[in-house]
Amino acid sequence: MATGIAAVVPPSSLNESFYPTTPSDYHRIVSPGLQIPSDPHVAIPVGILTCQRDPLARELDTVIVNSTFLRPEPPKGGSKKANQKQAKTSAAPTVSKPYLQITLHDTVLFPEGGGQSYDIGHLVTEDGSIWEIDFVKRHGIIAVHYAAIKDGLEGVPELLTAGKKVRVTLGEEGLKRRLDHMSMHTVAHLLASLLESKLDVPTLAWSLTSYPAPAYVDLPRALTPAEVTLIQDEANRLVFEGRRVHVEVRELDVGQAGAEGGDVPAARESRGLPSDYTGGVHRLVIIDGVDRNPCCGTHLPSLASLQLYILPPPAGGGTGPFRHLFLTGPRLLAHLNNVQTVLSRTAATMSCSVNETPDRVTLAVDENKRREKRIEDIERELAQTIGASLIEEMLRWRTEGGEGEWTRYIGRVDDEAGAHGFLQAITFAFKDLLPKDAPPYTLLLTSSPSSPTQTSTTVVMIFGSDDIRVKKVGEALKAQFKTLKGGGKGARWSGKATGVWLNERDGKMAALTLVQA
Ligand SMILES: [Zn+2]
């Protein structure tokens, strides 16, 4: 605490005396001309920042090189140009609220790059006040910290101007986030390397994604379960050995910007160095005896604790690329926890043990299919019976002296949402059984739930021998019931009404309309 700046990392669950430190030979400068700038008024370029030289460092006392007040730009109406600008990794972001853009001499906060997301953390000024760093971006070779504005601030406060001492720290949340990123990133290198050396399968694309989702590699072909086991076993053998990881940096040759390091398979870090990364360093991340890969990310100094889990391969078929998901470190534990929670909930619903769950779910699904089939059969039979009884009623009506058009209203109560199909089945059955000399007729069928509410739906169907009559009844019902919407073609009209439908009240009114329309 040489600067007298108060520590902001609370004595958390981490036991300080056991917190590991980065070995002194982790970061190796291999070209004699390259030096880390020591002048505190100069920003150290991205590539040799403390977060990259000492990935286990959690805080650092440093000096502000530059700070500006960034106002949000007025929206440009979502023009294509603005979107493209935003998409470029190192472009100044379009912000929705004001920020302080702060460049430090050095930092423990990693700016976005190499497929690894930015760090979050804090700045502590000399008076002990804490400023949240929401994100860090690489602008060319400079890491820029975006500090959230407090209390309607309108400019750069005195203690955050150039030359002032600050402490930059990951904080508890920032450290958790970084440990996850480092674990996933280092294991991604290991995985890609083993796929190439053991199976001769190049990695076409990869993403570390965001916690807690699994990261992925896209491959030209799907791996077999045996290959997945092979790669996973091989990776975990190296993890058990605790293979060391270190970094080698050298000066970036003139004209090398945007080019690929020659000693590395092109497919691996296909992006090479960003075209706007000029004046920086060339950096290789090396897993001892396993992999050498150009990368600007932060990597753990050892594979120990980075157990690799590759999710079971996707079902075969289709053409590539084939996506394989993988996990390690904190994200693997989060995944395990999530899977266990899902399984336990399902087991509780099925009233069985976790191990019995797949069989019980299969049984329930099969039973459900059988029930659905049975309901279909019974519905068909019932529709047939109702259709036959309607015909019988109509013929009796005529025998007893009925003349002109026969009308009939049926108000069904049914809690099945898809009642439309059933009402239609009744009309089909009725039509099939219709004798040649049948009188003209119009049927009105409704189906409403047993406990109707303001949001309930009542299905309405009209079926008749005269298309014009059918249409007329439909229009009259629409005029009568304001929420009824519907229409039809020919002999059939169907619609839906929203709200409470009671056959005793609304059904009776509709039946009257059927006769009078
Ligand atoms: Zn990398």
Side-chain angles (χ1 to χ4, degrees), residues 114 185 189 206 269 293-297 299:
H185 196 165
H189 280 218
W206 58 278
E269 302 269 309
N293 200 31
C295 179
C296 75
H299 288 272

Side-chain angles (χ1 to χ4, degrees), residues 219-396:
L219 309 178
R221 67 171 179 85
L223 301 180
T224 65
E227 286 173 329
V228 165
T229 305
L230 174 97
I231 295 296
Q232 194 170 277
D233 287 353
E234 181 61 18
N236 289 325
R237 186 179 65 76
L238 297 164
V239 168
F240 181 67
E241 284 176 16
R243 284 292 175 113
R244 297 272 306 270
V245 179
H246 74 270
V247 170
E248 287 179 4
V249 291
R250 56 185 158 84
E251 282 168 304
L252 196 59
D253 299 331
V254 178
Q256 200 178 7
E260 181 58 76
D263 50 351
V264 178
R268 288 285 302 283
E269 302 269 309
S270 53
R271 279 169 292 193
L273 292 167
S275 58
D276 61 343
Y277 183 77
T278 51
V281 298
H282 190 266
R283 187 169 186 268
L284 277 181
V285 173
I286 294 140
I287 303 173
D288 282 356
V290 181
D291 186 46
R292 295 169 68 82
N293 200 31
C295 179
C296 75
T298 57
H299 288 272
L300 283 160
S302 159
L303 293 185
S305 87
L306 294 185
Q307 276 86 359
L308 169 65
Y309 174 65
I310 305 173
L311 272 71
T319 56
F322 295 88
R323 184 156 292 183
H324 286 267
L325 306 176
F326 66 96
L327 290 155
T328 189
R331 226 182 278 195
L332 177 52
L333 290 180
H335 176 78
L336 202 55
N337 200 22
N338 184 37
V339 168
Q340 186 61 36
T341 305
V342 168
L343 263 180
S344 300
R345 271 182 57 190
T346 314
T349 306
M350 303 309 292
S351 306
C352 65
S353 73
V354 162
N355 286 340
E356 288 165 335
T357 304
D359 289 342
R360 290 295 278 269
V361 169
T362 307
L363 198 69
V365 169
D366 288 349
E367 255 171 36
N368 198 37
K369 274 184 193 155
R370 269 201 301 278
R371 257 186 223 127
E372 270 176 20
K373 171 82 172 62
R374 186 158 180 269
I375 287 170
E376 266 175 35
D377 293 347
I378 290 175
E379 271 195 358
R380 201 176 305 121
E381 214 176 304
L382 182 59
Q384 204 67 28
T385 309
I386 295 174
S389 77
L390 283 171
I391 296 283
E392 205 176 295
E393 205 180 306
M394 180 177 70
L395 296 178
R396 199 182 319 125

Side-chain angles (χ1 to χ4, degrees), residues 453-471:
T453 66
Q454 290 304 321
T455 56
S456 298
T457 300
T458 295
V459 179
V460 178
M461 187 169 291
I462 308 161
F463 181 67
S465 53
D466 178 359
D467 298 0
I468 295 166
R469 261 288 283 161
V470 166
K471 195 174 175 183

Side-chain angles (χ1 to χ4, degrees), residues 90-311:
S90 67
T94 311
V95 291
S96 57
K97 55 177 188 172
Y99 274 103
L100 286 171
Q101 287 179 307
I102 301 170
T103 306
L104 303 173
H105 165 60
D106 195 1
T107 185
V108 290
L109 302 187
F110 177 69
E112 210 164 23
Q116 184 180 330
S117 187
Y118 57 81
D119 285 342
I120 56 169
H122 307 108
L123 279 189
V124 191
T125 51
E126 279 182 296
D127 66 346
S129 54
I130 298 166
W131 295 77
E132 303 261 347
I133 303 297
D134 283 359
F135 57 98
V136 188
K137 292 277 288 182
R138 179 178 65 78
H139 293 193
I141 58 167
I142 301 300
V144 178
H145 302 70
Y146 284 76
I149 296 296
K150 297 195 271 195
D151 311 328
L153 191 78
E154 285 294 340
V156 180
E158 178 60 25
L159 284 166
L160 285 173
T161 53
K164 293 291 178 188
K165 288 177 182 170
V166 283
R167 171 165 294 174
V168 55
T169 164
L170 279 162
E172 205 160 354
E173 280 310 302
L175 180 62
K176 258 195 219 163
R177 179 177 159 91
R178 164 78 86 67
L179 284 175
D180 168 58
H181 290 171
M182 285 200 287
S183 303
M184 295 300 287
H185 196 165
T186 304
V187 115
H189 280 218
L190 175 64
L191 174 59
S193 173
L194 292 177
L195 286 170
E196 210 165 84
S197 63
K198 300 289 166 194
L199 300 176
D200 200 23
V201 172
T203 297
L204 303 176
W206 58 278
S207 172
L208 301 181
T209 69
S210 295
Y211 182 91
Y216 67 80
V217 283
D218 282 339
L219 309 178
R221 67 171 179 85
L223 301 180
T224 65
E227 286 173 329
V228 165
T229 305
L230 174 97
I231 295 296
Q232 194 170 277
D233 287 353
E234 181 61 18
N236 289 325
R237 186 179 65 76
L238 297 164
V239 168
F240 181 67
E241 284 176 16
R243 284 292 175 113
R244 297 272 306 270
V245 179
H246 74 270
V247 170
E248 287 179 4
V249 291
R250 56 185 158 84
E251 282 168 304
L252 196 59
D253 299 331
V254 178
Q256 200 178 7
E260 181 58 76
D263 50 351
V264 178
R268 288 285 302 283
E269 302 269 309
S270 53
R271 279 169 292 193
L273 292 167
S275 58
D276 61 343
Y277 183 77
T278 51
V281 298
H282 190 266
R283 187 169 186 268
L284 277 181
V285 173
I286 294 140
I287 303 173
D288 282 356
V290 181
D291 186 46
R292 295 169 68 82
N293 200 31
C295 179
C296 75
T298 57
H299 288 272
L300 283 160
S302 159
L303 293 185
S305 87
L306 294 185
Q307 276 86 359
L308 169 65
Y309 174 65
I310 305 173
L311 272 71

Side-chain angles (χ1 to χ4, degrees), residues 409 444 477 480-481 501 506-515:
Y409 166 65
L444 171 61
L477 287 175
Q480 188 177 17
F481 299 96
W501 178 285
D506 308 277
K508 272 185 178 161
M509 279 161 63
L512 212 59
T513 304
L514 169 66
V515 179

